[in-house]
Amino acid sequence: MTSPTTPIAASAVTGAPEPPPSALIRQRTRAAWIFLTPTLIAMALVAGWPLARTFWFAFTDANLTDLGASQFVGLESLKYVLEDPDWWTTVWTTFRFAFVSVFLETLLGLIIALSLNAHFRGRAVLRAAVLVPWAIPTVVSARMWAWMFNDIYGVINAIFLKLGLINEALAWTAEPGLSFVAVVAVDVWKTTPFMALLILAALQMLPGDIYEAAKIDGAGPIRSFFQVTLPLLRGPLMVAIIFRMLDALRVFDVFFVLTGGSTDTMPMAGYARQRMFEYQEIGVGSASASLLFAIIALFTAVYMVVGRVKLTGD
Amino acid sequence: MKKVLAGLAAAATFIAPSLALAEKLVIACGSVGQEADVCKQGAEAWAKKTGNTVELMSVPQDAGQQLAQFQQLLAAGSADVDVIRIDVVWPGLMANNFIDLKPYFGDDVLKEHFQPIVKNNTVNGKLIAIPWFTDAGLLYYRQDLLEKHGQKPPTTWQELAQSAKVVLEAEKKAGDSKLVGFVFQGKAYEGLTCNALEWIDSFNGGTIVDSTGKVTVNNPKAVEAVDFFAGLVGNVVPKGVLNYQEEEARNAFQAGNAVFMRNWPYAWALVNGKDSPVAGKVGVMALPKGGADGKATGTLGGWQLGVSKFSKNQKLAADLVKYLTSPEEQKRRALVASFNPTIMSLYKDAELLKANPFMGKLYETFVNAVPRPTITGTKYNQVSTEFRNAVYSTLTGKGKAADNLKKVEGKLNNLGKGGKW
């Protein structure tokens, strides 16, 4: 709860230029920095250092067989990646995957959240149950689904055959077209609960009196959803989507476990891994990893500007 | 501080001899089929004999992923593993990270092994690994089903497709809806490189890159071979095979769901195991020829044991290698799990031939197996990946072999500048 006596909150509301902070505020800021320092140092060590090293390797011809012999080559490695059609195949695969799966997750998450928001007996149990897929590590769930997708003894083919939806067993994880469907399905299964929970949290913050007012004005459930709920949900929804998009763009494990090594079914992170560890080309691999980082950063920036998403909150 | 450290070091050397009695070694062997178990038994026998302990490092099934794991460990100078099982195509890639085993192995020991393998393990005069077992692709078939439907074991791939079709159609009519014709390793990984190399070589289409370093992958025979197999997919070969490694293929075959299977010798002991539904119904032979004027071939596989140069117990590790690659241990491994010995005299051992009848019959296959193009040295993995991606694309119906192999030819020519790999 923001207190009206604090000048910061007041200026945020009015948008007026900030008056100089009071002694208390300065003291609090200092304390915050002191408490944050260990975290920042730890972050710099475990995240900053590898990142900086990757950026450095991107400008060298480093090779895993002899890292000591690497030499500075400027933009050579980056050029190599940008001119490689395989890289662009993986970019296309990754974005297609990210858009399709995040769209489905948002839609399903919204539906589930709306259902869970209704008052009924056993709601708490159901809410906990919905979270189960999210709690399973991706590698484990992907492996599990890989068995279910097996062409000969997989349960998915068995069910579809029994229902008469298909005439013969499909090779879900082998054909590039189908394996894309399979990967999206596993991702949607795993991450929809996450979306549902974020949306549910937002739904529960919505004030009830607006709905009463809408009801008095004669709005039915569908109209009040589109004209009241959805506009109010917009902010949290946009934030939830960007979180999922960031996750989806750096996807690696679902693809790796389900489809294996072909370039046709490889995300950007898979390309970076292949260059680094299978080809021993740390230089080119780092260049592609840096490029992946840049693409995600750029995408996030564009999204936040276009969608006017504020991560700091009002 | 320095003095304290020096003191500690001195104390350590003083105590060390008493600690050295029981050292702990870590070995990384394979994980396909029952390999981890068999490796563990051998290592433990050595541990018991010498009073040390041996631990197994867990590794991925896929050889390519194993290599990635080892290279990361070794690039970091890690002493976490002492003995590493290395693939026949790795010596050129990993030579830097292994010790020279020459001081530990006399010429008399090395002479017992197949000489081409010993030569393959020698990089710039340094013996980086000792042969442990050798491999070549084999054709497994369901003897009972072929006999039931009046088919003979196929001598060519075309006959195999024909026989598979006859058996499939008859069995489908009789209600077996799960049966498929032919399974192999079709996932885009090193296994597909091995399979596709066999196809091409059996059609007389060469070896991707020849022994002088020239890229030969784009030729009419190779195109014919790859197109032939692409034509089988979705026909007698189920599309699911495109995501199979060794164990997926074996599971399908061993469950009685496939008429033919291409796999390595290790599968023999397992498909004839006590709990195998097809035990006693399986035949094994050399891979078929690519047409009447083709040749029977198999990709040369095989694994060796080397000692990491970062190992803190190199001498002891070399002793473990000596034990595991000895004739006695190789014979035991052949008896319990049908791993092909690398010691020539064992191929005349009656007990061993009784357990693995194919080893005597197929001796020629092992001797004449087609090697992968290791002349490409440190670029081997790239060559292999580009090649199998082209084959995989063709198998999934993305373009014809002629176009895909032509593309690979261009890429490989870029990689190996003018044959100088």
Side-chain angles (χ1 to χ4, degrees):
Chain A
M1 278 284 117
T2 47
S3 134
T5 51
T6 52
I8 290 290
S11 74
V13 171
T14 56
E18 291 177 24
S22 70
L24 181 66
I25 291 294
R26 265 182 286 141
Q27 195 195 337
R28 279 191 181 174
T29 314
R30 211 167 35 240
W33 276 109
I34 290 171
F35 283 120
L36 272 175
T37 309
T39 315
L40 288 178
I41 292 175
M43 287 280 282
L45 285 177
V46 302
W49 169 242
L51 199 64
R53 216 169 126 81
T54 305
F55 285 147
W56 165 246
F57 275 137
F59 293 101
T60 68
D61 63 352
N63 196 292
L64 198 55
T65 42
D66 191 3
L67 276 182
S70 52
Q71 281 182 344
F72 184 82
V73 291
L75 295 175
E76 277 297 304
S77 299
L78 202 64
K79 199 170 139 241
Y80 176 89
V81 176
L82 289 175
E83 284 173 357
D84 186 355
D86 287 352
W87 164 254
W88 294 108
T89 310
T90 64
V91 172
W92 166 235
T93 307
T94 315
F95 271 89
R96 208 158 44 114
F97 164 78
F99 279 108
V100 173
S101 59
V102 173
F103 172 75
L104 290 174
E105 283 154 20
T106 313
L107 196 68
L108 291 173
L110 194 61
I111 294 172
I112 293 173
L114 286 170
S115 324
L116 285 179
N117 197 33
H119 292 275
F120 57 90
R121 273 168 64 96
R123 187 168 69 149
V125 178
L126 203 61
R127 267 189 212 171
V130 162
L131 261 184
V132 169
W134 177 247
I136 300 174
T138 311
V139 178
V140 177
S141 57
R143 193 71 248 169
M144 197 171 89
W145 278 85
W147 290 117
M148 301 205 288
F149 278 126
N150 184 289
D151 60 318
I152 297 182
Y153 39 78
V155 67
I156 301 203
N157 273 336
I159 292 173
F160 280 18
L161 280 171
K162 197 138 252 173
L163 292 177
L165 292 173
I166 51 176
N167 291 327
E168 53 174 348
L170 296 179
W172 288 97
T173 55
E175 285 178 83
L178 274 179
S179 65
F180 183 78
V181 174
V183 169
V184 168
V186 175
D187 196 67
V188 167
W189 176 81
K190 183 188 157 64
T191 355
T192 299
F194 174 76
M195 283 304 245
L197 230 67
L198 281 187
I199 298 171
L200 182 61
L203 275 178
Q204 299 199 320
M205 301 289 283
L206 298 188
D209 45 1
I210 300 187
Y211 287 96
E212 275 169 38
K215 211 171 190 177
I216 290 165
D217 287 345
I222 292 175
R223 200 158 155 205
S224 77
F225 170 75
F226 280 106
Q227 299 207 324
V228 181
T229 312
L230 215 49
L232 285 172
L233 269 185
R234 192 183 157 275
L237 211 53
M238 293 297 266
V239 173
I241 289 175
I242 191 71
F243 268 116
R244 272 305 303 143
M245 275 309 272
L246 294 185
D247 235 16
L249 286 176
R250 58 179 180 79
V251 64
F252 173 73
D253 33 17
V254 193
F255 277 94
F256 190 68
V257 174
L258 273 182
T259 67
S262 149
T263 322
D264 297 337
T265 51
M266 198 186 265
M268 288 186 275
Y271 178 95
R273 178 200 172 273
Q274 185 180 56
R275 302 292 139 162
M276 276 196 213
F277 300 121
E278 276 175 43
Y279 294 2
Q280 290 92 42
E281 295 180 337
I282 296 282
V284 174
S286 298
S288 60
S290 307
L291 212 54
L292 166 63
F293 179 83
I295 288 178
I296 293 184
L298 185 75
F299 177 82
T300 312
V302 169
Y303 178 88
M304 303 235 282
V305 170
V306 172
R308 276 176 290 170
V309 180
K310 291 197 192 88
L311 288 176
T312 47
D314 298 312
Chain B
M1 191 63 193
K2 251 187 187 161
K3 267 188 187 158
V4 177
L5 280 182
L8 276 177
T13 43
F14 194 66
I15 305 168
S18 59
L19 288 176
L21 284 176
E23 292 288 352
K24 194 188 88 181
L25 288 186
V26 177
I27 180 171
C29 33
S31 57
V32 171
Q34 47 184 342
E35 213 200 325
D37 291 337
V38 178
C39 173
K40 195 168 179 202
Q41 292 154 10
E44 271 169 6
W46 173 84
K48 214 172 157 194
K49 210 179 81 177
T50 59
N52 296 288
T53 49
V54 181
E55 227 172 64
L56 252 61
M57 172 179 267
S58 46
V59 295
Q61 281 192 4
D62 176 344
Q65 290 172 31
Q66 276 178 38
L67 178 65
Q69 179 177 326
F70 295 147
Q71 291 214 304
Q72 285 170 71
L73 268 175
L74 295 169
S78 162
D80 288 349
V81 58
D82 302 284
V83 177
I84 297 180
R85 184 194 76 144
I86 72 170
D87 197 355
V88 70
V89 291
W90 295 353
L93 290 166
M94 302 184 89
N96 276 343
N97 295 315
F98 285 86
I99 66 165
D100 186 1
L101 287 168
K102 279 226 178 92
Y104 303 99
F105 288 84
D107 280 341
D108 50 326
V109 176
L110 296 178
K111 251 190 217 138
E112 295 175 346
H113 295 269
F114 285 122
Q115 286 312 295
I117 312 181
V118 176
K119 212 177 129 207
N120 183 61
N121 295 349
T122 312
V123 179
N124 300 330
K126 190 170 132 186
L127 180 66
I128 68 155
I130 307 298
W132 197 20
F133 62 97
T134 179
D135 259 346
L138 298 174
L139 184 73
Y140 294 80
Y141 58 93
R142 285 285 299 281
Q143 216 152 14
D144 58 327
L145 286 180
L146 291 192
E147 271 164 23
K148 184 173 159 195
H149 299 286
Q151 300 294 317
K152 274 190 296 210
T155 56
T156 65
W157 289 112
Q158 290 82 352
E159 279 177 35
L160 178 142
Q162 211 52 47
S163 297
K165 201 171 260 168
V166 171
V167 174
L168 272 189
E169 271 164 18
E171 288 291 314
K172 283 247 152 92
K173 249 181 224 151
D176 186 350
S177 64
K178 279 190 174 167
L179 195 71
V180 299
F182 176 44
V183 291
F184 54 89
Q185 293 75 46
K187 185 174 171 172
Y189 79 118
E190 187 62 25
L192 180 58
T193 300
C194 295
N195 278 259
L197 176 61
E198 280 159 358
W199 307 340
I200 292 181
D201 191 45
S202 74
F203 276 74
N204 288 322
T207 56
I208 310 171
V209 178
D210 72 11
S211 56
T212 63
K214 195 169 160 274
V215 176
T216 59
V217 67
N218 183 22
N219 66 69
K221 285 288 177 190
V223 169
E224 190 190 336
V226 176
D227 273 337
F228 172 79
F229 282 89
L232 294 187
V233 174
N235 192 357
V236 295
V237 170
K239 283 185 179 163
V241 162
L242 302 180
N243 207 15
Y244 280 13
Q245 293 185 198
E246 282 85 354
E247 288 291 86
E248 284 86 357
R250 182 178 68 81
N251 287 339
F253 184 79
Q254 196 166 321
N257 290 336
V259 187
F260 296 103
M261 165 178 75
R262 180 270 178 210
N263 216 325
W264 306 99
Y266 86 93
W268 176 257
L270 289 163
V271 296
N272 283 313
K274 258 184 248 136
D275 50 357
S276 164
V278 294
K281 300 177 185 166
V282 178
V284 60
M285 60 189 284
L287 290 171
K289 298 188 284 185
D293 50 357
K295 63 177 174 185
T297 184
T299 294
L300 178 68
W303 295 82
Q304 1 285 319
L305 290 175
V307 175
S308 158
K309 85 172 176 200
F310 304 107
S311 163
K312 296 212 171 80
N313 284 305
Q314 297 180 353
K315 209 176 148 196
L316 210 56
D319 193 58
L320 173 59
V321 169
K322 193 176 269 178
Y323 178 84
L324 290 176
T325 57
S326 68
E328 297 75 31
E329 173 66 6
Q330 287 209 4
K331 182 174 167 184
R332 184 190 73 84
R333 291 167 55 84
L335 290 179
V336 299
S338 61
F339 288 112
N340 282 296
T342 60
I343 291 170
M344 291 177 280
S345 59
L346 286 176
Y347 285 84
K348 295 188 189 96
D349 186 291
E351 193 185 353
L352 192 150
L353 291 180
K354 195 172 160 255
N356 303 292
F358 64 91
M359 281 189 190
K361 264 194 302 186
L362 300 179
Y363 182 77
E364 288 300 307
T365 306
F366 300 128
V367 178
N368 299 323
V370 51
R372 280 166 276 173
T374 44
I375 186 165
T376 53
T378 52
K379 299 261 177 69
Y380 172 75
N381 251 4
Q382 258 161 294
V383 172
S384 171
T385 307
E386 297 293 3
F387 168 68
R388 66 168 168 262
N389 274 344
V391 173
Y392 191 81
S393 291
T394 319
L395 293 182
T396 54
K398 226 182 122 191
K400 283 279 170 200
D403 300 326
N404 290 332
L405 291 184
K406 197 172 167 213
K407 264 185 234 161
V408 172
E409 184 187 33
K411 282 187 173 175
L412 297 192
N413 276 329
N414 275 343
L415 276 175
K417 294 161 183 94
K420 289 188 202 82
W421 291 91

